[in-house]
Amino acid sequence: MGAAIEPSTEKIATRVAYGKSLVELAKSNQDIVVLDADLSSSTQTKFFAKEFPERFFNMGIAEANMVSTAAGLAKAGKIPFVSSFAMFATGRAWEQVRNSVAHNHANVKICATHAGLTVGEDGASHQIIEDIALMKSIPGMVVIVPADAKETEKVMQVVTAYNGPVYVRLGRSALPVLFDDKYNFQIGKANVIEKGEDLSIMACGIMVSAAVEAAKILKEKHNKSIEVINIASIKPLDTETIVNSALKTRNIIVAEEHNIWGGLGDSVASALLENCSEKLKFKRLGINDSFGQSGKAEDLLVHYGLTAENLVKLSLEMLDYQS
Amino acid sequence: MSSNFPDLVQVKEKALEIRANSLKMIHAAKSGHPGGSLSIADILSVLYFGGHLKHNPLNSHDPNRDILVISKGHASPAVYSVLALAGFYPIADTMSFRQLGSKFQGHIDSLKVPGVEMSTGSLGHGLSNAFGFALAAKLDKSQRKVFAILSDGELQEGQCWEAFMACAHYKTNNLVAIIDRNRIQLDGGTETTMALDPLEDKLSAFNWETKTINGHDLEELDNALKEAYRVSEETNKPFAIVANTIKGKGVSFMEDAVAWHGVAPSDTDLEKALVELAGTK
Ligand SMILES: Cc1ncc(C[n+]2csc(CCOP(=O)(O)OP(=O)(O)O)c2C)c(N)n1
Ligand SMILES: [Mg+2]
């Protein structure tokens, strides 16, 4: 919270932070077990596998069985972390997440990597842009999208202590580090990371650093005061923080690396419509209902408009339109 | 039957009670699945009352209990009945089956009914769930046994074969799968819908120990379970009992009849069925 954020020049992928956190947490928590589906080198669970081979289960390329097995392990008192690409953990095994995990309120953490466009070169078959929709629509499922490596580390501590099913959306590509050790993550809490008066950018995941950058440009070049909110906890949603910010700035842009249909933008829109009778300007920035394609992650983000520059442009359009 | 199975009479009686109560529940609810409930009544009775499944009706989370995952969650009437007979709750409670607000949901629910380890109903999940329990028991160096009751049509789900593969790979010799081989699914026979035979060969090819028995012969069931513990211990393989059963077993007009998979008996059907069941005592 509070002071303006200076993104680091050093970049770390959230999946890397995940892999490291698992090892740290498992040193003091004997109940943690990890399941992967032949992707441990990619998801970074390989470090856990090396450190705690007896608590690591490679399930082969069989995600449905992996997820239902995790539910059994959880019911027997273990804390299973399940990893694969987000495409397969939430897509292929959706029905297992829904019925074996969530309907049993099994204490399973689905920590899936390579979500969104920034998978890059592998292309559309692997670039899931529907996972937030798939996971948030399951009753009782907690859905978290960390914005950087530090937040991922904090998220890991919190979800380990939390008893119940959780989906954590992690990425492949290296990201700037936004937060330091003092950063506090709580399930159900959004973080106002820059205070502002003119417009609110609410974002999750990789779009948080883009929002921070956009806010800086808007301030320095256009003298606009932008509030930036990191909504890592997509569900439960921090309606209070979102509504308070909206009532203050009246201009809201939600940015996410996800289809605009079913993502964070829809959640924020619903929260605002249910809680504010005031006139607001609202815009979703996400993937506009198309599949991704192969390319370098940074080129894809430019192609699909998921950049600080586009956030600046959209913000100015929204503010100009009003005046 | 042999005398080394002294509780046989009781096990047989309980199986009849499971059948009768299941039909009463389905009749009261005017919906439910009689065929697949009747086909596993003997299996459930042997597990609970034949000394195989350690259970504690006073504490359904007793760490010393064994685990039974029933993958065919639509056989809920039989499951609710056996748990009532085992003392988890009064049997009269089960008559609220499928009613709004009842804990006795159409498909078994682990969060609502004590003694139900996993909510199931979506076919194909249960063996994976049981495998998870088996892995946990291994990690804990626990002597806990894990049982899974699977249906046969269910085995058409790919996930079951993922799970068969995984159990063998991880040598979960603390897991016994009992397959209710009644040869009928919803639309018709398993062999005409999507053939499963030669089932035992498939299981062997997946590196399981197997044994095919008559799933209504209490002594064969008891022996097969004892054999499973012994053999799995020796070979380090999981064990599958292919229990040849009759869907609708115990009620002549329901036996082997596809039509009785998922419909409720009328008043006269129930009356006839209960008379027949009472006659087999
Ligand atoms: C994944 C899934 N698909 C379909 C169904 C609907 N369904 C319920 S019971 C049934 C037939 C089950 O046949 P079988 O597995 O042989 O069970 P049993 O004969 O023991 O009743 C079907 C298709 C389901 N419950 N789950
Ligand atoms: Mg069948």
Side-chain angles (χ1 to χ4, degrees):
Chain A
M1 281 226 21
I5 281 188
E6 275 307 320
S8 69
T9 42
E10 178 209 18
K11 289 183 165 190
I12 308 172
T14 52
R15 66 180 165 129
V16 171
Y18 164 62
K20 284 192 180 142
S21 295
L22 263 185
V23 174
E24 283 314 306
L25 288 163
K27 284 177 185 163
S28 57
N29 191 327
Q30 296 301 314
D31 291 331
I32 292 179
V33 297
V34 176
L35 296 84
D36 204 307
D38 195 33
L39 285 168
S40 67
S41 307
S42 306
T43 63
Q44 306 292 304
T45 62
K46 64 180 174 188
F47 298 109
F48 179 96
K50 190 152 177 272
E51 199 86 17
F52 305 103
E54 72 291 348
R55 286 196 263 158
F56 176 80
F57 301 101
N58 199 326
M59 306 297 284
I61 312 161
E63 297 78 13
N65 178 55
M66 172 169 72
V67 170
S68 294
T69 299
L73 279 157
K75 284 287 201 176
K78 302 297 171 196
I79 307 175
F81 284 77
V82 174
S83 288
S84 174
F85 288 167
M87 180 69 248
F88 313 124
T90 70
R92 169 68 63 99
W94 183 84
E95 200 265 338
Q96 284 72 20
V97 175
R98 197 262 189 193
N99 279 322
S100 271
V101 174
H103 189 226
N104 277 290
H105 199 72
N107 192 20
V108 174
K109 318 302 170 190
I110 315 275
C111 296
T113 67
H114 295 63
L117 289 177
T118 46
V119 166
E121 292 81 351
D122 277 352
S125 63
H126 285 52
Q127 292 161 336
I128 190 162
I129 52 168
E130 305 92 345
D131 52 321
I132 294 175
L134 289 172
M135 292 294 109
K136 79 175 183 181
S137 59
I138 297 175
M141 196 80 193
V142 169
V143 178
I144 297 167
V145 185
D148 78 346
K150 183 52 76 178
E151 186 168 45
T152 304
E153 197 183 309
K154 299 279 178 175
V155 163
M156 287 293 291
Q157 292 163 6
V158 170
V159 303
T160 302
Y162 169 83
N163 182 16
V166 178
Y167 172 56
V168 183
R169 181 191 220 223
L170 301 163
R172 170 182 182 230
S173 304
L175 297 177
V177 178
L178 296 170
F179 307 121
D180 60 21
D181 253 328
K182 294 193 289 281
Y183 183 80
N184 181 24
F185 169 81
Q186 275 177 273
I187 292 173
K189 281 269 171 263
N191 274 304
V192 179
I193 57 175
E194 309 258 4
K195 283 199 188 302
E197 303 296 328
D198 299 328
L199 181 145
S200 307
I201 302 179
M202 306 185 184
C204 65
I206 64 161
M207 293 310 289
V208 177
S209 36
V212 168
E213 202 185 322
K216 195 171 173 210
I217 298 170
L218 282 160
K219 182 174 199 167
E220 289 172 359
K221 294 204 179 143
H222 305 279
N223 200 27
K224 299 289 183 201
S225 161
I226 306 298
E227 182 140 300
V228 179
I229 304 185
N230 173 26
I231 306 180
S233 180
I234 308 275
K235 192 184 158 201
L237 190 70
D238 185 353
T239 303
E240 193 184 336
T241 300
I242 290 167
V243 169
N244 285 343
S245 179
L247 290 178
K248 180 170 64 172
T249 66
R250 310 260 169 155
N251 294 291
I252 303 106
I253 297 177
V254 181
E256 61 189 319
E257 188 193 9
H258 190 273
N259 196 340
I260 54 167
W261 300 109
L264 174 63
D266 280 4
S267 291
V268 171
S270 305
L272 293 177
L273 203 53
E274 281 175 350
N275 293 285
C276 316
S277 50
E278 288 75 0
K279 197 168 169 228
L280 305 170
K281 293 256 163 251
F282 182 83
K283 169 87 190 156
R284 291 171 299 173
L285 172 60
I287 295 136
N288 203 359
D289 205 35
S290 69
F291 290 105
Q293 58 180 301
S294 291
K296 288 198 182 63
E298 53 281 19
D299 295 344
L300 286 163
L301 293 176
V302 172
H303 181 82
Y304 290 92
L306 299 182
T307 58
E309 290 68 31
N310 200 29
L311 272 172
V312 169
K313 181 171 156 272
L314 292 172
S315 300
L316 290 174
E317 277 170 17
M318 189 176 270
L319 291 169
D320 287 348
Y321 182 76
Q322 193 175 250
S323 59
Chain B
M1 300 249 183
S2 81
S3 56
N4 65 6
F5 195 174
D7 287 339
L8 181 67
V9 176
Q10 198 215 353
V11 173
K12 190 178 170 195
E13 271 170 18
K14 297 281 187 197
L16 284 174
E17 285 181 60
I18 293 170
R19 290 192 164 93
N21 195 64
S22 296
L23 294 178
K24 286 183 203 165
M25 289 168 67
I26 299 167
H27 171 260
K30 296 191 168 61
S31 78
H33 296 83
S37 298
L38 297 185
S39 64
I40 62 164
D42 297 307
I43 296 167
L44 288 173
S45 192
V46 168
L47 285 171
Y48 278 89
F49 308 116
H52 289 282
L53 181 82
K54 267 192 246 144
H55 59 280
N56 180 359
L58 301 177
N59 175 12
S60 57
H61 295 289
D62 190 328
N64 294 318
R65 76 194 189 281
D66 290 329
I67 299 292
L68 169 61
V69 175
I70 291 134
S71 192
K72 39 177 288 184
H74 60 282
S76 50
V79 178
Y80 298 149
S81 299
V82 79
L83 288 170
L85 295 171
F88 283 82
Y89 39 77
I91 198 152
D93 291 4
T94 62
M95 289 303 142
S96 64
F97 180 50
R98 286 179 174 249
Q99 301 305 307
L100 187 66
S102 171
K103 60 184 173 189
F104 300 104
Q105 295 289 299
H107 294 81
I108 55 175
D109 189 321
S110 68
L111 304 181
K112 295 198 158 105
V113 179
V116 171
E117 301 287 357
M118 288 303 298
S119 308
T120 55
S122 171
L123 294 167
H125 290 209
L127 183 59
S128 305
N129 300 153
F131 172 53
F133 276 103
L135 284 180
K138 292 254 168 210
L139 280 173
D140 293 340
K141 306 205 171 11
S142 149
Q143 290 308 301
R144 166 180 278 179
K145 289 199 286 284
V146 181
F147 301 90
I149 297 180
L150 317 176
S151 49
D152 53 358
E154 168 178 43
L155 300 184
Q156 292 153 0
E157 285 286 356
Q159 184 179 350
C160 296
W161 300 93
E162 295 180 4
F164 281 126
M165 198 162 31
C167 293
H169 181 82
Y170 280 101
K171 301 186 167 54
T172 46
N173 60 355
N174 51 349
L175 192 159
V176 181
I178 305 168
I179 296 167
D180 178 17
R181 185 72 172 112
N182 59 29
R183 308 188 83 83
I184 289 179
Q185 53 194 101
L186 194 148
D187 275 342
T190 56
E191 300 315 286
T192 50
T193 305
M194 183 55 68
L196 294 165
D197 280 337
L199 182 55
E200 216 183 328
D201 292 350
K202 290 189 171 97
L203 296 168
S204 307
F206 274 68
N207 243 337
W208 280 59
E209 295 290 344
T210 62
K211 171 112 184 161
T212 298
I213 58 155
N214 174 351
H216 301 303
D217 184 315
L218 303 176
E219 200 180 352
E220 277 192 40
L221 276 166
D222 178 61
N223 285 335
L225 287 164
K226 287 175 181 153
E227 183 178 331
Y229 315 143
R230 196 179 61 243
V231 170
S232 286
E233 168 113 25
E234 281 165 24
T235 63
N236 266 334
K237 290 183 186 180
F239 199 104
I241 298 173
V242 180
N244 283 324
T245 55
I246 295 169
K247 204 156 173 169
K249 170 73 178 176
V251 177
S252 59
F253 56 93
M254 292 184 179
E255 286 191 0
D256 228 2
V258 175
W260 283 101
H261 167 73
V263 291
S266 68
D267 295 353
T268 43
D269 291 334
L270 180 69
E271 211 174 303
K272 273 197 268 176
L274 293 178
V275 168
E276 275 193 28
L277 288 171
T280 31
K281 264 189 192 156

